[in-house]
Amino acid sequence: MPAPINDASARIVILTGAGASAESGLQTFRDSDGLWEGHDPMEIATPEAFARNPQRVYRFYNARRAQLEQVQPNSAHREIARLQDAYPGDVFLVTQNVDNLHERGGSAQVCHMHGELGRMLCLNCCARLPAPQAFDAQTVCPKCMAPGGLRPDIVWFGEVPYNMPSIGSKLAACDLFIAIGTSGVVYPAAGFVQEARAHGAYAIEVNKAHSDLAPAFHEHRVGNATEQVALLVEELLSGASF
Ligand code: APR
């Protein structure tokens, strides 16, 4: 067992996936029939799919952005924010989710490694900008004023996730790595547990079932994120050692 970690020098990295937002009403990617809101992810979330049928991709992400207005952060988001705020050490939050529920749940620091629904990327001037409620190929980039270059600022399959160097440094220095609601099948995020453990971190998985990566973790908290994250945060804030 690693030494107790509940002081200002303690470093925690939390990785969240779709399971963290599931109880807010956002569908996960791999829990149902392999479809994502009724769509084959490979027909939406790849640069090739966007090149083939941009209108379909714009429509899909415009609908996902509109859906954010209908959902609220859940207690897992709020409890993670409480930990970030009240824990004496450093709590770095990295999410694969493109929703804004961590921010709305109170997290002041969120690293969106797969991009954000709330942003768009201009392929003409490379600016990453706040997205309006809906946009498409006709929308003019507010920065370079060119039409036709805007795409959702989402990291699609085959693209390099954002902020990998800073995530790598946090993983290399962390004492405790916690993965919440992620199936552990999409890399590089799926490799974070091994990376953290290679540097000596203790690893906890929070998931409603054991994920594909379960054997890589020291400990499992099985159940809904809302319930399990609240218990874990309470333990960490009351000085539990792991
Ligand atoms: N509480 C805890 N865990 C849950 C809950 C819940 N209420 N609901 C679902 N889960 C778990 C599932 O058991 C599953 O392991 O969340 C996980 C969701 O897995 P995925 O749907 O594969 O989502 P994620 O791991 O975030 O996907 C990673 O894949 O499609 C890409 O870029 C996309 O960021 C996404 C990446």
Side-chain angles (χ1 to χ4, degrees), residues 17-19 23 29-31 96 114 181-183 186 207-208 224-225:
E23 290 164 86
F29 300 95
R30 295 176 183 82
D31 279 327
Q96 299 165 90
H114 289 172
T182 177
S183 56
V186 174
N207 201 302
K208 71 172 187 185
N224 282 332

Side-chain angles (χ1 to χ4, degrees), residues 8-185:
S9 67
R11 302 196 184 289
I12 300 176
V13 173
I14 298 178
L15 168 70
T16 60
S21 294
E23 290 164 86
S24 291
L26 296 179
Q27 207 177 68
T28 63
F29 300 95
R30 295 176 183 82
D31 279 327
S32 50
D33 47 9
L35 297 182
W36 181 30
E37 297 286 352
H39 297 258
D40 174 355
M42 299 317 272
E43 289 304 318
I44 298 289
T46 69
E48 294 77 15
F50 183 58
R52 262 196 315 272
N53 191 343
Q55 215 38 49
R56 177 174 175 174
V57 175
Y58 285 122
R59 211 169 33 241
F60 178 81
Y61 285 104
N62 286 341
R64 301 285 72 72
R65 204 173 298 110
Q67 192 182 24
L68 288 185
E69 315 251 299
Q70 317 301 321
V71 299
Q72 300 300 326
N74 64 51
S75 60
H77 301 110
R78 287 192 296 272
E79 287 295 306
I80 291 168
R82 184 163 80 95
L83 184 71
Q84 289 182 288
D85 189 44
Y87 195 70
D90 184 52
V91 183
F92 180 75
L93 174 61
V94 50
T95 187
Q96 299 165 90
N97 299 342
V98 297
D99 64 52
N100 56 6
L101 294 178
H102 280 303
E103 287 87 347
R104 287 164 57 197
S107 282
Q109 176 274 316
V110 189
C111 173
H112 280 278
M113 65 179 290
H114 289 172
E116 292 173 71
L117 279 171
R119 301 187 77 82
M120 56 191 183
L121 170 65
C122 178
L123 298 173
N124 290 316
C125 71
C126 297
R128 297 176 66 194
L129 303 153
Q133 173 67 260
F135 69 95
D136 60 21
Q138 274 68 56
T139 309
V140 169
C141 171
K143 182 119 184 267
C144 69
M145 305 311 286
L150 293 166
R151 58 163 268 187
D153 190 12
I154 304 289
V155 177
W156 287 326
F157 290 106
E159 298 184 322
V160 180
Y162 287 124
N163 303 312
M164 288 308 293
S166 53
I167 296 168
S169 320
K170 292 289 184 182
L171 290 169
C174 78
D175 304 294
L176 176 62
F177 174 78
I178 305 170
I180 302 168
T182 177
S183 56
V185 298

Side-chain angles (χ1 to χ4, degrees), residues 182-203:
T182 177
S183 56
V185 298
V186 174
Y187 283 82
F192 289 177
V193 60
Q194 280 97 351
E195 218 170 315
R197 285 196 62 174
H199 291 92
Y202 189 69

